[in-house]
Amino acid sequence: MVAIAQPAETRILLQNISWQTFKTMLAEMGTERNTRLAYENEIVEIITAQMSHENSNRLIEGFVGVLCEELGLEVKRSGSLTLTRDDLERGAEPDSSYYIQNEALVRNKENIDLATDPPPDLVLEVEYSRSAIDKLKLYAAMGVPEFWRYNGTTLKIYTLAGGQYSEVQISPTFTPIPVTEIPQFIATAKNHGEVATTRAFRTWVQKNRGLGNSGPPLGIRGNGDWGLMTIDY
């Protein structure tokens, strides 16, 4: 028997699509679907997530929840919220999105209109394969303050300043926690389960939180075996 690796996501590109046609597509496709869409420069990208893509997204979402709890931050999870800007003719549906700094402004809102409401404070894109649309430019144009990109092995953090993103090592939202180490927990979950890994992640956050600005971030070392993995402190 030969094992065939399945792609983490599939991408379909439609070219020469007007902005109005894209908005019509969104309306006709509705919200009960397993695809996400993005639009820029008359290109529509349709993404269908497979197991590894979606599992990584859900794990990171759980870790973000733990970070908010342990750092005393309120959060409104907005998932793959459809983000559109008529004035920019750009649109996107991230894997996950979160209101944290602006949570109080949207707490009771059922619908978000970027003409009057702030964009999410944090968006996540899981991209095992390269997107045809430059998500850095897209979310920067929409004014999203913090953008996370996970490619299956590395989590990169970008913050917005002067209309452009810059890569940083520490998330300003979750300082002083070194969230770029999250991929190690994603790998561990494959061997030891999500509940046990989330419990270990919480302990790790608590210890890093206790450091404040008095020392370097705590690290994780090990070879993926739960019995050998330790938290340095």
Side-chain angles (χ1 to χ4, degrees):
M1 176 180 283
V2 178
I4 300 176
Q6 296 295 318
E9 66 251 338
T10 58
R11 300 179 186 274
I12 298 174
L13 295 182
L14 305 177
Q15 298 182 340
N16 301 315
I17 304 298
S18 70
W19 174 245
Q20 191 55 51
T21 300
F22 172 68
K23 293 190 70 176
T24 300
M25 289 174 60
L26 287 173
E28 292 185 350
M29 293 173 73
T31 57
E32 299 299 320
R33 50 186 165 88
N34 64 350
T35 57
R36 295 184 300 103
L37 277 64
Y39 180 92
E40 186 177 47
N41 296 330
E42 297 189 336
I43 296 176
V44 175
E45 183 176 64
I46 304 173
I47 306 102
T48 303
Q50 304 302 328
M51 173 62 84
S52 55
H53 178 122
E54 191 59 29
N55 184 244
S56 296
N57 176 38
R58 297 297 180 180
L59 281 168
I60 294 173
E61 181 178 52
F63 296 152
V64 168
V66 170
L67 287 163
C68 288
E69 290 176 15
E70 293 299 326
L71 296 176
L73 302 171
E74 265 302 343
V75 60
K76 184 180 180 75
R77 298 169 178 84
S78 41
S80 296
L81 177 69
T82 301
L83 305 171
T84 57
R85 284 277 299 270
D86 288 333
D87 57 328
L88 300 174
E89 294 194 349
R90 283 184 165 105
E93 295 175 326
D95 281 286
S96 297
S97 59
Y98 309 88
Y99 284 92
I100 301 173
Q101 291 89 341
N102 285 314
E103 181 273 338
L105 297 179
V106 300
R107 182 176 298 172
N108 295 318
K109 286 184 175 288
E110 297 296 326
N111 298 291
I112 297 294
D113 181 355
L114 294 185
T116 55
D117 297 316
D121 298 301
L122 168 63
V123 301
L124 166 70
E125 287 279 357
V126 176
E127 295 183 340
Y128 282 73
S129 58
R130 171 170 254 171
S131 173
I133 292 178
D134 189 334
K135 299 295 179 62
L136 287 174
K137 289 184 178 179
L138 191 155
Y139 289 121
M142 290 187 174
V144 174
E146 188 169 343
F147 173 48
W148 290 11
R149 172 182 277 162
Y150 177 64
N151 68 0
T153 57
T154 303
L155 178 64
K156 293 188 176 182
I157 312 298
Y158 299 91
T159 57
L160 189 64
Q164 293 185 328
Y165 282 118
S166 297
E167 185 177 353
V168 297
Q169 295 304 309
I170 297 292
S171 163
T173 303
F174 300 121
T175 302
I177 311 301
V179 295
T180 53
E181 294 188 25
I182 280 176
Q184 298 182 55
F185 288 95
I186 295 175
T188 298
K190 295 177 182 179
N191 294 321
H192 302 285
E194 296 181 14
V195 173
T197 301
T198 300
R199 188 180 302 119
F201 180 78
R202 184 181 297 275
T203 299
W204 176 77
V205 169
Q206 291 170 347
K207 291 182 179 296
N208 275 281
R209 181 192 63 192
L211 281 179
N213 295 320
S214 62
L218 296 170
I220 298 176
R221 53 186 169 84
N223 63 359
D225 187 323
W226 184 259
L228 296 179
M229 176 165 281
T230 60
I231 301 174
D232 294 326
Y233 61 95

